[in-house]
Amino acid sequence: YGEPVVTRRPLELVPPSLEDQRSDWERLRETLDGVQMPPMTPAFAEEFSHTLRSNDWKAEAFVDAGQLISLLKPSDLPVYGFAIDLGTTTVDLSLHNLDSGGQIGRRALLSKQTAFGADVISRAQAFHEDRDSVRRAALETIQECAQGLLEEAGLPPERVVRSTVVGNPIMIHILHGLDARQLTLAPYVPLVSGMVRRPPADFGWSF
């Protein structure tokens, strides 16, 4: 507690003109000198451009491990994040103030994915046969849990700038839409490992 989890960085960009016709993306990248930009997607490009243009080219950047993770209009309000434990049976979420590191609330729900098997081996086999249904069950449980915590705290989802999901390798593979069947066979090697950054929209989450 007492330690900020992300870095705030106030920004004021030089507005474009006939003499300076750099793209909004290039203008932001050069202003954030030394900060890694996230992958450029249509949704993010339109969102950050709207934020800048509707706030006189002023914004607040949130940086984690040297990478831009969110761009919001200038505000003194705190930002928040979810810690998500994606278990085989339950999904356990805690909501945190990222400016102070303090926990705001916690909630656990029975995973809808249990309908596809009680253990990870059954889950991997079910996902191999029906990817969409098995993956969606976990994503919907996380969304429901997160929405409930935000409603309890009276917080808008746009103030959530970072979420971290942990779980066993099979559950994480399914979360990313990756076939985990090879993890049920010797020598039990995953497709990918380590941290993977993806925007919440990739998972259909509103936060």
Side-chain angles (χ1 to χ4, degrees), residues 89-197:
T89 305
T90 60
V91 174
D92 191 340
L93 270 73
S94 54
L95 175 63
H96 299 261
N97 181 319
L98 299 186
D99 289 300
S100 68
Q103 181 174 301
I104 306 298
R106 184 176 177 181
R107 172 180 287 202
L109 291 178
L110 179 68
S111 175
K112 295 179 181 180
Q113 219 179 60
T114 54
F116 298 94
D119 58 80
V120 290
I121 304 300
S122 300
R123 210 69 59 82
Q125 293 171 341
F127 180 78
H128 184 71
E129 297 169 1
D130 184 0
R131 292 188 177 213
D132 184 64
S133 297
V134 178
R135 181 173 185 253
R136 186 172 63 248
L139 299 180
E140 288 178 352
T141 306
I142 292 172
Q143 171 65 36
E144 182 180 337
C145 206
Q147 186 173 334
L149 279 171
L150 289 173
E151 289 175 354
E152 286 178 3
L155 298 173
E158 57 266 22
R159 298 305 296 178
V160 177
V161 300
R162 182 179 185 268
S163 295
T164 300
V165 184
V166 297
N168 69 60
I170 287 180
M171 297 302 293
I172 295 300
H173 273 57
I174 294 174
L175 175 75
H176 286 296
L178 298 172
D179 193 348
R181 189 167 181 268
Q182 70 185 51
L183 278 166
T184 68
L185 306 170
Y188 315 108
V189 177
L191 272 75
V192 296
S193 61
M195 183 178 69
V196 178
R197 284 189 184 273

